[in-house]
Amino acid sequence: MPPSEGETLPDFEAPLCDGETFRSTTLSGALGDRGGIVVCTGFAFSAIAQNWWKRFLRADWDEFEEVPVLGVSRDGPYAQNEFLRWLDRPDFRFFADVNGTVSESLDLLADRDHMANVSTPWRSAFVVDPDREVQYAFVADDWISPLPRSDIETAVGDL
C-alpha cells in the first residue's frame, strides 16, 4: 500500500535535479524547514505532467515558504533538467527515478499494459513534515485525474 497520513515516507536517495545540475540526494536532505510536497508523475514531458506542473506554477506553488515542491518521475536527470528549464522554474526540483526504486519504495510502481516493459508510479502527491511524516496523501486510481490542488495547499498551510 502506498503511504497514507500518519506514516513516514522512506528516506530514499536518487539524483535530484535543479534545472542545471543533479546530485544524489536523500528525501530528508531535500525537504525544507517545514517539510515538502512530493509529486509523482510518470514521465516529465508527458501531456499530463506538463499540464500539472503548469497548474502548479499558476497556483504559485513555487512560493511556498520553506516547503519545496519535489517531483519524482522515471526520466533520467538530463530530461528532468530540460523539463525544469522548460518550466522556467528553478524553485521546483525533480528526483530522477530512472530504475523505479523510488516509486517502488513508495509502493506506487505499476506496469503499464499498453507500454511494453514500462512501469511508472501512480500519479500521487504527499505533503510531509520535516521528519517525512505524511500529513496529506493522494494517490490517483486512474492515469489522468488531476491532483486535488486545494487540499494540498490546505495541508501545506497546516505544516
Side-chain angles (χ1 to χ4, degrees), residues 5 14 19-20 22 39 41 48 62 73 76 92 95-96 100 106-107 110 130 133 136 147 153:
E5 292 176 23
E20 294 299 325
F22 58 90
V39 178
T41 59
I48 292 169
D62 55 326
S73 85
F92 296 146
F95 282 101
L106 298 171
D107 201 21
E133 183 178 327
Y136 176 82
L147 290 177
E153 291 166 357

Side-chain angles (χ1 to χ4, degrees), residues 58-135:
R58 286 191 299 270
D60 296 323
W61 278 24
D62 55 326
E63 295 180 12
F64 290 138
E65 189 172 323
E66 299 299 326
V67 182
V69 181
L70 305 164
V72 175
S73 85
R74 291 296 308 275
D75 293 293
Y78 297 104
Q80 303 283 20
N81 278 332
E82 181 62 29
F83 185 70
L84 289 167
R85 287 190 296 272
W86 176 80
L87 283 173
D88 195 28
R89 269 305 184 249
D91 317 90
F92 296 146
R93 292 176 290 160
F94 264 80
F95 282 101
D97 187 21
V98 178
N99 296 322
T101 55
V102 172
S103 301
E104 192 170 29
S105 76
L106 298 171
D107 201 21
L108 292 170
L109 203 57
D111 290 332
R112 301 297 296 268
D113 294 333
H114 60 287
M115 300 169 80
N117 301 314
V118 173
S119 56
T120 60
W122 282 101
R123 288 170 173 83
S124 53
F126 303 94
V127 176
V128 298
D129 67 16
D131 297 319
R132 302 185 327 277
E133 183 178 327
V134 178
Q135 304 301 305

